[in-house]
Amino acid sequence: MAACVSRVELSVSCRSLLDKDVGSRSDPLCVLLQDAGGGRWAELDRTERIKNCQDPEFCKKLVVDYYFEKVQKLKFGVYDIDNETLDLSDDDYLGGIECTLGQVVSSSVFTRPLELKHGKPAGKGTITIAAEEIKDTRVVYLEIEAQNLDKKDFLGKSDPFLEFHKQSDAGTWQLVYRSEVVIKNNLNPCWRKFSVPLQTFCGGDFNKPIKVQCADHDSDGSHDLIGAVQTSLAQMQTAGPGSPVEFECIHPEKKQKKKSYKNSGIIRIKSCKIETEYSFLDYVMGGCQINFTVGVDFTGSNGDPRSPDSLHYISPDGINEYLIAIWSVGSVVQDYDTDKLFPAFGFGAQVPPNWQVSHEFALNFNPSNPYCQGIQGIVDAYRQVLPQIRLYGPTNFSPIIKHVARFAAHSVQQGTAAHYYILLIITDGEITDLDQTRQAIVDASKLPMSIIIVGVGEADFKAMEFLDGDSGVLRSVTGEPAARDIVQFVPFRQFKNAPREALSQVVLAEVPKQLVSYYKWQGWPPLKPPEVKAV
């Protein structure tokens, strides 16, 4: 199961609540429920009760785990509490709303009218929900070198590495970082710049004792201590360009044994900076729009859509694998796009009126406006286009990748984290223009976009797995490496008997990392960066 992206804190306030109490105002409380499937709702959290108030601003925050790749259906219920029991069935219902967590986090402020039941307003009552991620997003970046370290190896010099430990409240030392690079045969090493989350490094406490140990690496694991330093982040932060902070590296046993012992070398902090590392939610809550485009494979290998064994055959209950893939991925992504207008294209078919093969035709046959209204609009356009085209070939991906890349390249010119693009390609198999597609993906890896490929049917998808890049960095034919991994491939057959949401959870799990890696690479903060709160 995918790891939780983060935890979200929801602040709730209401206006103009119904007045259910005789002689005084209502005493409201808000409860948060999550869809547990099968028509059941499970309580996640609840606010405090506020006495005699029709416009409450609840102090207690509601906390929920957030997953980008899931549609998390929530229900907020507001009750007038007139007793001390936890059970809400004996309390007056003042109204509620149903929504998704995606809708809440992608709106800076989310306000909705309260309803007593579907379609029946709760007077003029409204509820406002604001989301905030719970985390300290700061990161410590350190550059460290050492001088004149003790020689520990009989035949050569030492192979030094560093370990950082923070002191727990109980006084024990907990490892927070070990340098990856063992510098061979060097008594004056300069380690590579590294970073550790502030929370991990010192729990956000700049004065917490930090112990830095320098040891000589031995391949059998019996590393020899060269010496140690005790300091704090506050001390290390005083390092600046041209004025490093220096500490004597002390070996406690040597110090005890020899009166003439000075030190086992000098540890020098060249630079210690604290920077904010933004998360996926920082970008989304800061106003980044996720633009969703669909590309559908209409090549002849799918089979005649009128035949029940065709992958494009729509069953009596109105579905096929293409439609399930569009619904499951689109239902998650649509919450992050305010206009809900999604361009949808087909490729590999002969299209009217001249029956030329097209590798990027609008499903609605309107090239100047290929946008469909919502996911339902894509589904409707797909159903309408099927009888009007002739399935043909070859299977070329590069035209549609380049199409979306042009939009992504245009958004880059703004120099802000305003738009990110997701292209969903649904295909039945072997790709014809593999070399051109490799180049298109390598080019797109430098742009704010991710590509999801869902393979339908029983074909051999080796080429798709190659494009996924999980087994190594994808390169173009000329050897140019992708700047980052942006392709996620999933064969639909693995999800045939799984719940419908399982597909979206797997294909979208990588997107938050891919989005953050792109903006970090560019050095772009969110449009509206979060306020940094000291922990």
Side-chain angles (χ1 to χ4, degrees), residues 60-122:
K60 165 135 183 0
K61 311 298 183 198
L62 304 174
V63 175
V64 57
D65 288 342
Y66 166 80
Y67 301 85
F68 168 70
E69 66 276 11
K70 286 187 187 179
V71 175
Q72 292 175 267
K73 289 183 186 160
L74 302 179
K75 187 189 279 188
F76 293 83
V78 183
Y79 291 84
D80 174 19
I81 308 296
D82 286 324
N83 54 43
E84 297 306 316
T85 65
L86 284 173
D87 184 13
L88 298 170
S89 60
D90 55 357
D91 297 299
D92 289 323
Y93 186 53
L94 302 179
I97 63 159
E98 287 183 27
C99 61
T100 68
L101 187 54
Q103 287 171 320
V104 176
V105 300
S106 58
S107 316
S108 48
V109 178
F110 184 80
T111 301
R112 290 288 183 275
L114 289 165
E115 292 186 328
L116 290 170
K117 57 184 179 191
H118 189 61
K120 186 180 178 188

Side-chain angles (χ1 to χ4, degrees), residues 296-302 305 312 346-363 365 384-395:
V296 178
D297 180 341
F298 288 109
T299 53
S301 51
N302 282 277
H312 280 298
F347 58 90
Q350 293 175 323
V351 296
N354 55 12
W355 302 105
Q356 292 288 311
V357 174
S358 172
H359 296 294
E360 49 167 313
F361 63 91
L363 286 193
F365 284 148
Q384 283 159 19
V385 82
L386 260 180
Q388 300 181 60
I389 56 174
R390 294 178 191 154
L391 274 56
Y392 206 72
T395 308

